Structures are given as C-alpha cells and as structure tokens.
Amino acid sequence: MKIVVVGGTGLIGSKTVERLRKKGHEVLAASPNSGVNTITGEGLTDALAGAQVVVDLANAPSFEEKAAIEFFETSGRNLLAAEKPAGVRHHVALSVVGTDRLQAMGYFRGKMLQENLIRSSGIPYTIVHATQFFEFIGAIAQSGTTGSTVRLSPGALQPIAADNVADAMADAALAEPQNGMIEIAGPERAPLSDFVTRFLKATKDARDIVVDPHARYFEVEIGDRTLVPGDGARLGAIRFEDWLRHSTQQR
C-alpha cells in the first residue's frame, strides 16, 4: 500500500521509511525538501493521493513556546484536512510519554494540541508515545549545563534507541488503527542523572555532575513518574550500554 511519512528524512523518519520499503510498500518520504510542506500546505494534495496511511513524524523547529505551538497546530490542521478528501484510512503520529504531565512547558502544550486535533479529526488513528531517545541524552546534558557543571534531576528515565522507535512506528503503520495511544520505551529504567553520567563518561566528557531533585528537565521539575511509561509499554531490545559502545566507536 501507499504510505506517506511526514518528516521522512529525519532521524526517526528515515529509519521508518527504510523499514516500510523493505516490507514492499510504496513509501513517500515527505518533507519541505521533497516539495511537501505541512505548514504552507504546499504539495500535500499530490503527496496524499492514493495513500492509505500517513505517519506524522514532523517536529517543531524549536522548543520555544510560541514557535512549537504554532507549528503543531498549523501542521496538524493542514495535514488532517488534506487526509480527509484523500481517503486516508489510518493516521499514525509520534508523541512523547508524559506529554500530559509536562504541560508546564510550551513544547508539550503544542504536542497535546496536536494529539487533540488527531482525536477529534474523525480519521482512524494511532498515537505512539515514546520515551526520550538515547540520541537525545547529550542534549539533556547540555540543557542542564552551566559552565563546567551539569545539574541533573534524579527523576526516573527509561530511554529508547531511535532504531527501536522506528521499528514501532513501522509496525503501527501496518497494524489496524488503535483509536488510542500506545507507549514504547527502552528496556532499562534508572535516574536521569545516571544515564547522563554514563553518557559523559563514555564520551570522555569531563563536566562535573551535580544531582539535584529540583533540577529541571528543560523547563519542568520532574519526579519518578513524569517521563516513564505505565504498565504494558512495548519495550525496545537495544540496551543503553550497547548503544553507547556502538555510538562511541562511530565517533
């Protein structure tokens, strides 16, 4: 069948496209570079012609509140509006575990707005909530850095490899619509500060780490339930230590 992957050239998008093509499907990797722009609407009608499934992996260009909210609202409305006349039968979107618990941050208010648009669209859907990617640990460290010190929360984290996120997105695209949300996470749960410490050690980064229960995850103070999934989440097979070993060998 024809599947359109919006954001199909990004980290998760390119991997998802590869998996779906290997299964024999016609897959369009849609992005502004390929002439498909969900913000302006350019190219959407042609891209969606004959598509049975749309996988939305597009992400806001900034964590800044106004930019993120405007992106998710405009992109979501344009994409869903174009899907209806095209006869799309399944809308799959990637979101974040704990989105409802992170509403103090504008980016996550944008994600919640996107999710609500999907739920009220009338198009059969599946929303996949993923935990933070292993590939995002460096950015988490940077967000807590002042000078040579990294101040980090001990709140629980259960990150997942981008490869396993792509596996789950491809599977969701080929399954029946859930008309609800599923959660995916990595196989290991530990304090956020522990994952970052291991990352910095593996990358020979000499910054000092201070563990502080009040340290913020970007703009939000977190606890042990904020960023982790509930019971029944699909767990990725790739372990953090194995990913670290492989990624540091590639440097």
Side-chain angles (χ1 to χ4, degrees):
M1 59 184 168
K2 180 179 177 180
I3 302 171
V4 176
V5 179
V6 179
T9 58
L11 173 64
I12 306 300
S14 59
K15 293 175 183 291
T16 302
V17 167
E18 176 186 16
R19 284 154 174 75
L20 292 170
R21 284 178 177 163
K22 282 183 176 178
K23 292 180 181 292
H25 299 284
E26 176 191 352
V27 185
L28 173 63
S31 71
N33 288 338
S34 68
V36 183
N37 192 317
T38 57
I39 297 300
T40 64
E42 176 192 1
L44 273 178
T45 299
D46 289 342
L48 295 179
Q52 287 86 25
V53 179
V54 170
V55 181
D56 186 6
L57 299 172
N59 199 10
S62 168
F63 275 161
E64 191 273 322
E65 178 175 355
K66 185 173 183 292
I69 290 175
E70 286 182 355
F71 176 87
F72 288 121
E73 179 171 21
T74 303
S75 177
R77 288 190 188 281
N78 287 342
L79 184 56
L80 292 163
E83 287 177 22
K84 288 182 180 180
V88 170
R89 299 200 296 263
H90 189 187
H91 181 98
V92 183
L94 179 61
S95 193
V96 185
V97 164
T99 289
D100 57 330
R101 300 185 289 272
L102 293 162
Q103 291 297 293
M105 183 173 172
Y107 176 87
F108 292 102
R109 290 199 293 277
K111 290 300 291 182
M112 182 61 76
L113 192 156
Q114 176 194 35
E115 291 186 24
N116 288 337
L117 287 172
I118 293 167
R119 292 186 180 99
S120 63
S121 69
I123 298 169
Y125 70 92
T126 302
I127 296 172
V128 180
H129 272 196
T131 54
Q132 291 66 35
F133 310 154
F134 292 164
E135 291 80 358
F136 196 43
I137 299 295
I140 293 174
Q142 190 58 38
S143 74
T145 297
T146 302
S148 61
T149 300
V150 190
R151 192 170 298 276
L152 298 165
S153 170
L157 196 67
Q158 195 171 337
I160 184 171
D163 277 321
N164 287 157
V165 176
D167 293 337
M169 297 309 298
D171 288 349
L174 300 178
E176 291 299 312
Q178 298 294 301
N179 291 316
M181 181 268 292
I182 61 176
E183 292 186 313
I184 62 174
E188 178 186 4
R189 184 177 297 187
L192 181 152
S193 51
D194 178 68
F195 282 108
V196 175
T197 298
R198 291 153 66 186
F199 176 82
L200 295 183
K201 181 179 179 181
T203 56
K204 297 179 171 57
D205 190 316
R207 280 178 284 179
D208 297 318
I209 290 179
V210 174
V211 180
D212 178 358
H214 300 295
R216 291 179 176 264
Y217 172 77
F218 293 92
E219 301 170 25
V220 185
E221 190 171 311
I222 63 170
D224 277 343
R225 294 296 310 157
T226 310
L227 301 176
V228 298
D231 295 337
R234 167 175 166 163
L235 302 184
I238 300 172
R239 298 190 64 80
F240 187 61
E241 287 300 328
D242 296 329
W243 175 84
L244 265 181
R245 190 179 308 110
H246 177 74
S247 63
T248 52
Q249 287 171 352
Q250 301 298 311
R251 290 172 181 266

